[in-house]
Amino acid sequence: MSEIEVLLTGGLLLPLLAFVILVFAGARLGKPASGWVAAGAIAATTGLSALALAQWQGLDAAGRSAAQTPPIVWAHLGTIPISFGINLDSLTLIMFFMVSLVSACIFVFSIGYMAGHSDEIDGISKYHRFFAYLSLFCFSMLLLVIADSLLLLLIAWELVGLCSYLLIGYYFHRRSASTAAIKAFVTNRVGDFGFIIGLGMVFCFLGDFSLSGAAEKFRQQWEAGSVLFRERFLGLNLATWMGMLLFCGAIGKSAQFPLHVWLPDAMEGPTPVSALIHAATMVAAGVYLTARIFVLLTPEAQLFVAIIGGITLALGALVAIVQTDIKRVLAYSTVSQLGYMMLGLGAGAWIGALFHLLTHAFFKALMFLGSGQVIEGCHHEQDLRRMGGLWRKMPVTCATFLVGVLAIAGAGIPLLRVGLGGYFSKDEILVVSWSRVWGQEYAGLPGALFIVPALIAYVTPFYMMRCWWLAFMGQPRDPRVYAHAHESRLMYIPLVVLAAGTVLSGYVLFRPMVAEAVPQPFLTRIVDGAAHESYGQVVAADHRAHAAVAWAVGGAFAIGFVVAIAVYRRGLAAAALLAQRLRPLYVLLVKKFYFDEVYGAVLVAGTMALKTVCYAFDRLIIDGLVDVSGFLTRRCSFVSGNVLDAGLVDGAVNAVGQGTWRLGGLARSPQVGRIRNYILLAAGGLAAVVLWVAYR
């Protein structure tokens, strides 16, 4: 193994070691030592990942190629080797560093957050278990990042799902938390079912689980016009179905339409868990998977990804407008931003989508931890309608939360190309989308895939400024909540670190490294039929696209902020009046487009109805047949046992026995033991014989 791979492997194993320690010794370590063991392990991982990143940046192309060692062959599935190794490229290094850094901030924040919580739930110590779950979660996510094969990625993928179930349901004594955990787990299994079928198609048609090997086999089969591209099912070739089925896993993990319903309910877990799931880890896994399998997506599959992303970003943003729970606002915001990333990948903005993933990790973790500071400081209050004026009690939280709001809103100055990370990443996604819709060289996407994200660019700053304003500005709306408000230093130090990361994770820091890992030009050859550079590089030079996007959404953040402040400047009265006048739309958004109700009526109620039918079938048909069979068997056994066997067979045997017994009795009757009787009998018999002979 190269030195960089050793650093990554060490960084991967440290959270696993912390998990093992906490499982076996966490109860003895107690509070807060258990938390510091986990935080120390992930902090050390962050340091190792920073060293690996620095070494990688210092290598030339030849050095980077030499740093990649062959994977270890673990077994053979027929003729296909099952190998595990590290997928070493710039994206792996930057993702590994980002995941570990954000997780380290969340771990430190968690120590302060959990300090005010009871150590026991139903008499069971849970503090060390919480940090054990967090450590296993980070190990699973880091394993997913470095996986060089789809099979190893699937193993890490399922571990992430298991840990999310444990963390969302951490407060298992609350029915809402246990229900949310089950909902998340089951919903993700629906997506994973498609992912496993797609993996089976990779096995059958490509015969290689490694990412690079599968990509090469895919290219060869495309050039050869193999059955994978010839055969069609429901109008789409098998290669398209394979790509869409693999993407189903990302639909579940990254909460894309129509499997987005689990993510807002995941807010039932502790706030640090919400930050971990919604920032750099679980939801990022789906985007990361889509980026890695991008080489296996046909044009139709890419269009499918773009459409799903476009629908998701609109749904999430619109529902976020009316949410009153501060964590649910951020949850639906995450759904919307993940939609942006998927739209970017589907449109071909590979660099912009991954760049947005990295910047989103920082500002969304910042805002979730900020919301945790607010909730904990306000005595576990999450309702924005009961807050207000908190900037006086929580100045650091207020300022850092605003940094996150500016980043997600895409605040920047288009003419000067100055802004936060979210400005650059969203701008690049929209530029590529515009070019794919109206550009001459790359035309081919429906116009809605630019118009919808452009319109949502105005909605995002509105609901985020609404959230910030209702929480921190204006007058206190609940004196009790305001009186309890305070902020903890241990909890706001990570906010400052993440705010700095949000500011620094701009165009100069992350994007060049993401661009180094962009897939080969073969991808655009599949899409366009001619060899070109990658979309992100070509469109970046398209000044018409940049001008169009700057004109369309350049001031969107300012307009959204102004409208939000105008509506909520004097409290909730104006918003209530608008809700009354637009009641049908308001109810539609409050009900979240009735997805939960539809799923409840169709899937849950349908399952219950199917259960009732199956129960009735089992009770009436299966049990009825068994009962009838038992009854007939009992009657047959009665006839055969009592009538045939006991009456006929046993009767005949008994009659023979009784007849023999009676004949024996008759034969015994002369045997009385008296000699004169025997002489008389013999003489009588002799006389009878003589008479018979004489008179014959």
Side-chain angles (χ1 to χ4, degrees):
M1 295 178 68
S2 65
E3 186 175 351
I4 293 178
E5 290 179 325
V6 170
L7 291 173
L8 293 180
T9 303
L12 171 70
L13 295 178
L14 282 172
L16 181 61
L17 176 62
F19 167 74
V20 173
I21 292 173
L22 293 177
V23 166
F24 291 102
R28 290 191 295 271
L29 289 172
K31 182 180 181 178
S34 298
W36 286 114
V37 168
I42 196 65
T45 295
T46 305
L48 293 176
S49 66
L51 288 175
L53 185 61
Q55 289 193 19
W56 179 263
Q57 285 295 89
L59 295 177
D60 56 14
R64 292 181 177 183
S65 178
Q68 176 80 61
T69 58
I72 299 173
V73 178
W74 176 63
H76 283 81
L77 190 60
T79 59
I80 300 176
I82 306 299
S83 60
F84 295 146
I86 297 176
N87 186 28
L88 200 60
D89 61 11
S90 296
L91 180 59
T92 298
L93 270 295
I94 194 63
M95 279 290 293
F96 199 97
F97 172 73
M98 182 269 293
V99 170
S100 57
L101 176 60
V102 173
S103 298
C105 294
I106 293 172
F107 275 48
V108 173
F109 179 91
S110 299
I111 296 173
Y113 182 86
M114 299 302 290
H117 291 244
S118 173
D119 293 355
E120 295 184 353
I121 298 178
D122 293 344
I124 303 173
S125 176
K126 294 289 288 180
Y127 184 85
H128 69 284
R129 295 188 184 188
F130 177 74
F131 286 97
Y133 296 157
L134 288 181
S135 298
L136 184 61
F137 196 114
C138 288
F139 163 77
S140 305
M141 184 63 197
L142 293 173
L143 179 63
L144 188 150
V145 168
I146 67 173
D148 72 331
S149 73
L150 287 169
L151 190 59
L152 181 58
L153 194 148
L154 176 65
I155 295 171
W157 187 268
E158 296 303 332
L159 278 174
V160 168
L162 170 63
C163 294
S164 67
Y165 167 78
L166 296 172
L167 288 168
I168 294 170
Y170 174 74
Y171 297 124
F172 58 83
H173 60 293
R174 296 202 315 237
R175 184 174 180 82
S176 58
S178 61
T179 302
I182 294 172
K183 184 177 182 179
F185 192 81
V186 172
T187 305
N188 276 276
R189 298 290 73 73
V190 175
D192 291 351
F193 180 71
F195 181 38
I196 292 173
I197 295 176
L199 196 62
M201 294 183 70
V202 171
F203 172 79
C204 292
F205 292 105
L206 302 182
D208 198 328
F209 286 123
S210 68
L211 295 172
S212 58
E216 179 62 23
K217 297 285 182 62
F218 189 79
R219 183 186 67 82
Q220 292 174 0
Q221 294 208 25
W222 173 72
E223 292 177 343
S226 69
V227 65
L228 189 61
F229 292 89
R230 291 197 316 270
E231 296 295 327
R232 291 185 170 269
F233 176 71
L234 298 179
L236 299 174
N237 60 36
L238 296 181
T240 298
W241 280 107
M242 183 180 72
M244 292 194 303
L245 287 168
L246 290 172
F247 176 65
C248 284
I251 292 177
K253 274 290 189 294
S254 288
Q256 298 295 289
F257 167 85
L259 301 181
H260 64 285
V261 293
W262 69 267
L263 193 60
D265 289 346
M267 297 300 96
E268 291 294 336
T271 300
V273 172
S274 303
L276 200 63
I277 289 176
H278 292 72
T281 51
M282 183 171 173
V283 294
V287 180
Y288 185 76
L289 168 69
T290 308
R292 287 305 190 191
I293 65 168
F294 191 74
V295 290
L296 305 180
L297 298 180
T298 63
E300 294 84 357
Q302 291 181 22
L303 179 60
F304 176 73
V305 173
I307 291 173
I308 292 294
I311 296 173
T312 304
L313 73 91
L315 284 176
L318 293 174
V319 175
I321 295 174
V322 298
Q323 296 300 307
T324 56
D325 185 312
I326 186 171
K327 288 174 66 175
R328 285 186 175 268
V329 174
L330 299 179
Y332 280 104
S333 167
T334 300
V335 172
S336 181
Q337 297 306 304
L338 292 169
Y340 262 111
M341 299 172 205
M342 292 301 187
L343 171 67
L345 287 171
W350 195 90
I351 299 174
L354 271 296
F355 181 31
H356 193 56
L357 172 65
L358 297 172
T359 58
H360 176 267
F362 282 96
F363 63 67
K364 189 51 62 70
L366 167 63
M367 288 189 288
F368 262 109
L369 296 187
S371 71
Q373 175 79 280
V374 170
I375 294 168
E376 193 69 14
C378 292
H379 201 60
H380 308 292
E381 181 58 61
Q382 298 183 201
D383 195 335
L384 288 167
R385 295 169 297 185
R386 303 185 64 184
M387 298 178 188
L390 294 181
W391 69 271
R392 302 178 185 88
K393 297 290 191 75
M394 303 178 177
V396 176
T397 305
C398 174
T400 53
F401 199 98
L402 179 60
V403 172
V405 171
L406 292 171
I408 194 173
I413 305 174
L415 296 178
L416 299 179
R417 297 290 291 167
V418 174
L420 296 177
Y423 163 77
F424 293 108
S425 54
K426 277 189 180 181
D427 176 77
E428 188 157 359
I429 292 173
L430 291 172
V431 164
V432 174
S433 298
W434 186 94
S435 298
R436 290 293 310 280
V437 172
W438 288 292
Q440 294 181 357
E441 189 174 7
Y442 291 97
L445 287 185
L449 292 182
F450 173 78
I451 296 172
V452 170
L455 292 175
I456 297 302
Y458 290 85
V459 178
T460 302
F462 172 79
Y463 69 72
M464 289 311 308
M465 176 52 68
R466 167 185 176 270
C467 179
W468 181 79
W469 190 274
L470 288 177
F472 297 102
M473 306 306 290
Q475 297 300 317
R477 288 180 289 278
D478 189 324
R480 185 186 65 84
V481 172
Y482 184 76
H484 280 98
H486 65 282
E487 62 182 3
S488 166
R489 177 175 300 178
L490 184 61
M491 293 170 69
Y492 74 58
I493 289 177
L495 301 182
V496 175
V497 174
L498 289 171
T502 300
V503 173
L504 295 176
S505 63
Y507 199 84
V508 178
L509 181 61
F510 281 162
R511 189 193 178 284
M513 290 199 65
V514 176
E516 292 173 355
V518 71
Q520 297 299 315
F522 153 70
L523 294 175
T524 53
R525 191 161 65 246
I526 289 182
V527 175
D528 298 311
H532 293 296
E533 297 276 336
S534 65
Y535 287 129
Q537 294 169 344
V538 172
V539 178
D542 190 341
H543 299 294
R544 292 187 305 115
H546 280 287
V549 171
W551 177 85
V553 300
F557 77 95
I559 295 173
F561 286 169
V562 169
V563 173
I565 295 172
V567 173
Y568 293 97
R569 182 170 59 90
R570 295 184 178 179
L572 301 171
L577 181 61
L578 282 173
Q580 184 177 0
R581 292 182 176 178
L582 302 173
R583 184 160 184 77
L585 177 60
Y586 175 75
V587 172
L588 181 66
L589 297 182
V590 168
K591 292 294 185 179
K592 298 164 286 190
F593 291 93
Y594 292 94
F595 273 97
D596 286 331
E597 287 77 7
V598 171
Y599 287 167
V602 176
L603 298 180
V604 178
T607 302
M608 297 301 292
L610 181 61
K611 180 264 300 181
T612 303
V613 172
C614 291
Y615 176 78
F617 181 80
D618 179 69
R619 183 72 175 169
L620 299 177
I621 306 300
I622 304 298
D623 287 355
L625 290 175
V626 171
D627 292 342
V628 170
S629 175
F631 174 78
L632 294 176
T633 302
R634 287 198 306 271
R635 300 313 299 171
C636 290
S637 65
F638 176 80
V639 171
S640 63
N642 293 333
V643 177
L644 297 179
D645 184 58
L648 184 61
V649 177
D650 288 354
V653 172
N654 292 336
V656 172
Q658 290 176 359
T660 304
W661 174 262
R662 288 172 181 171
L663 289 175
L666 292 174
R668 276 198 318 274
S669 58
Q671 306 298 319
V672 296
R674 295 177 182 179
I675 296 176
R676 61 177 179 271
N677 291 348
Y678 296 157
I679 294 173
L680 180 61
L681 181 63
L686 178 62
V689 171
V690 170
L691 290 174
W692 179 78
V693 172
Y695 292 100
R696 185 179 60 168

